[in-house]
Amino acid sequence: RRGELKGQRREDMIALSKSHLGDLTGEIVFGFPGWKCRWDFLQVSKQVCKTFTDPEGGEWKLLKDLECKFGMTIEREGKVPDDLAQMVQAGKDNVDA
């Protein structure tokens, strides 16, 4: 799956994403246009985990996986693509509203 790297390379892509877009939070991702969120109650642990689903149907359980994917995109493009910047800003604006 896209966004899955290991070790230092993964940490480097997360840091690249954070340096350009800031820290992602669940609240920000929840505000991404076209994204969905599902909460699952885990009976054994009595915990709730959330899964974000992007418009293409990809599921993201860890924000770090998403930050890694965004970092890979920024590295590949040499900059933050406009659509990525707009999506993250919309998520931030949603939190501020």
Side-chain angles (χ1 to χ4, degrees):
R1 184 176 81 177
R2 299 168 296 157
E4 286 188 6
L5 295 175
K6 300 207 181 291
Q8 189 58 49
R9 180 89 171 117
R10 174 182 166 82
E11 295 305 317
D12 291 346
M13 291 301 100
I14 291 169
L16 181 63
S17 174
K18 288 182 177 200
S19 72
H20 288 279
L21 302 171
D23 290 329
L24 289 183
T25 64
E27 293 82 6
I28 292 171
V29 178
F30 188 71
F32 287 177
W35 286 57
K36 297 178 183 173
C37 183
R38 179 182 76 238
W39 287 268
D40 296 305
F41 178 70
L42 305 174
Q43 187 67 37
V44 174
S45 65
K46 307 288 190 222
Q47 294 179 330
V48 175
C49 66
K50 58 185 164 229
T51 302
F52 293 102
T53 306
D54 64 34
E56 291 81 37
E59 292 190 342
W60 305 90
K61 292 187 180 291
L62 299 176
L63 294 176
K64 284 190 174 262
D65 287 344
L66 197 50
E67 289 173 325
C68 182
K69 176 192 175 214
F70 291 170
M72 292 168 60
T73 300
I74 293 165
E75 182 182 66
R76 183 181 63 249
E77 299 288 327
K79 65 180 184 87
V80 178
D82 291 341
D83 59 339
L84 177 57
Q86 291 168 1
M87 180 179 71
V88 172
Q89 188 58 53
K92 290 178 179 179
D93 291 347
N94 187 61
V95 170
D96 292 339

